[in-house]
Amino acid sequence: MAENEKQKTVGLVLEGGSMRGLFTAGVLDVFMDENIHIDGIVGVSAGAVFSPNFYSGQRGRALRYNLRFCRDRRYMSLWSLLFTGNMINKQFAFYDVTTKYDIFDNEAFIKNNKGFYATVTNMETGQPEYFEIRDVLKELEVLRASSAIPLVSKPVMLDGKPYLDGGISDSIPVLKGKELGHDKLIVVRTRPEGYKKEPFSAGMQKLITRSYRKYPNFAETMIHRPAMYNETLATIRDLEQKGKIYVIRPPRAIQLKTIERHAGALQEAYNMGVDECKKQLAGIKEYLQQ
């Protein structure tokens, strides 16, 4: 029995959601505390940006730098959008924070990484792609693409092709997680049970079509995102009911702005992730041992 359990692999699927991703960061920190073994991660947007800290073993890092810089216009702001074209500042948020202000342990990540994929959306095709990241410092542009919010971000060029937020084409990459063949799959959501996306208004659809007229496939994918998201939720519910995946979700809506200046609100989202994961530890361990 013990020998069989050693052979099982456990995958993580991490939803995005901008600063709601701090809920996920709290969950991952409890996983570290409890020595829960993870063999592969598929993340999207904030789920991709915050999760490398799991493999680098840097408990609390995602919360720490977000608390430190949430009021700094160099990090994420309308000022950055106006002067750089990116609401999330490319140089400061991704490169300076990572290499100067809260240094990412890339050596530990490379040593412990057992498989890490970041989801991005190809603007030419409108389809999701999954980049395997083996070296965070060399592949920060992939993480930047995964979290590049449409309408407030410039396209991120990867291998000569334009990409934006992976959440547009695959908000919760559970099917990719299944495709990777893990025996057990844990999905961490950042929306509570019962949440559904509403269709875009006619005005917003026109704005999307106009803004991305050079990329009609991307515009179409973005307009249909609410329907695709809700279809994914149905798939997750079905897999969960059949015991094929384990889902951790917030017990209530996380009230955060895209640009959240209040450190207390960020701390609360993180604490919610910690508390919810601790409440579910027995269920998680039982699922992994089945």
Side-chain angles (χ1 to χ4, degrees):
M1 183 71 171
E3 189 64 31
N4 288 336
E5 289 185 0
K6 285 181 182 178
Q7 296 173 359
K8 292 179 181 177
T9 61
V10 181
L12 269 181
V13 174
L14 307 177
E15 183 177 9
S18 191
M19 287 300 124
R20 292 195 309 276
L22 286 174
F23 173 86
T24 303
V27 171
L28 293 181
D29 282 355
V30 175
F31 279 15
M32 280 191 244
D33 293 341
E34 297 293 325
N35 294 314
I36 293 178
H37 180 82
I38 300 298
D39 297 286
I41 297 174
V42 184
V44 59
S45 194
V49 172
F50 295 160
S51 55
N53 298 302
F54 178 81
Y55 280 142
S56 69
Q58 291 175 282
R59 190 191 191 285
R61 180 175 176 270
L63 175 66
R64 186 170 60 238
Y65 68 73
N66 276 289
L67 292 180
R68 180 178 177 184
F69 297 115
C70 64
R71 291 181 176 271
D72 193 322
R73 69 179 186 177
R74 297 173 299 171
Y75 184 60
M76 179 189 296
S77 65
L78 295 178
W79 174 87
S80 177
L81 176 61
L82 179 63
F83 286 97
T84 73
N86 292 301
M87 187 175 71
I88 304 173
N89 189 276
K90 172 183 176 179
Q91 182 60 42
F92 187 83
F94 285 91
Y95 289 89
D96 293 348
V97 168
T98 302
T99 62
K100 296 180 183 179
Y101 296 110
D102 201 320
I103 297 173
F104 179 71
D105 191 341
N106 198 48
E107 290 186 6
F109 173 87
I110 293 171
K111 178 181 177 182
N112 298 317
N113 177 17
K114 299 180 183 303
F116 176 65
Y117 293 83
T119 309
V120 296
T121 301
N122 183 317
M123 296 182 69
E124 294 176 347
T125 66
Q127 296 299 308
E129 295 181 13
Y130 310 90
F131 279 70
E132 184 174 7
I133 294 180
R134 296 183 174 88
D135 185 317
V136 169
L137 295 187
K138 290 181 179 179
E139 298 169 282
L140 277 173
E141 288 299 283
V142 177
L143 294 179
R144 202 167 71 79
S146 185
S147 58
I149 304 170
L151 303 177
V152 292
S153 304
K154 292 180 178 179
V156 178
M157 303 303 293
L158 302 174
D159 299 328
K161 297 179 181 180
Y163 292 85
L164 279 178
D165 191 343
I168 298 302
S169 56
D170 194 355
S171 297
I172 314 172
V174 64
L175 294 182
K176 179 62 178 180
K178 294 289 290 181
E179 179 188 307
L180 291 173
H182 295 296
D183 301 293
K184 299 290 182 177
L185 201 62
I186 299 174
V187 178
V188 183
R189 295 195 51 208
T190 58
R191 297 285 195 182
E193 178 65 23
Y195 173 83
K196 289 180 67 176
K197 281 194 181 296
E198 297 298 325
F200 288 116
S201 67
M204 178 57 75
Q205 291 186 34
K206 288 180 181 178
L207 175 62
I208 293 169
T209 301
R210 221 170 25 241
S211 299
Y212 295 109
R213 57 188 178 275
K214 292 183 179 179
Y215 302 104
N217 291 326
F218 178 82
E220 183 177 1
T221 296
M222 189 171 174
I223 289 170
H224 288 96
R225 184 194 180 199
M228 292 189 298
Y229 183 90
N230 295 335
E231 288 174 7
T232 300
L233 295 186
T235 298
I236 288 173
R237 281 193 296 271
D238 180 61
L239 292 170
E240 184 180 18
Q241 289 170 1
K242 292 177 179 176
K244 294 183 177 181
I245 63 174
Y246 191 97
V247 184
I248 303 171
R249 52 174 70 83
R252 59 187 182 279
I254 301 173
Q255 303 296 337
L256 289 177
K257 300 173 183 175
T258 301
I259 303 178
E260 183 56 71
R261 299 299 188 197
H262 298 284
L266 298 175
Q267 182 76 57
E268 183 179 351
Y270 172 85
N271 291 346
M272 191 188 299
V274 171
D275 294 342
E276 187 62 23
C277 190
K278 286 181 177 179
K279 287 178 184 177
Q280 296 197 40
L281 271 175
I284 293 168
K285 291 179 179 180
E286 181 182 357
Y287 167 75
L288 295 179
Q289 290 170 2
Q290 287 173 352

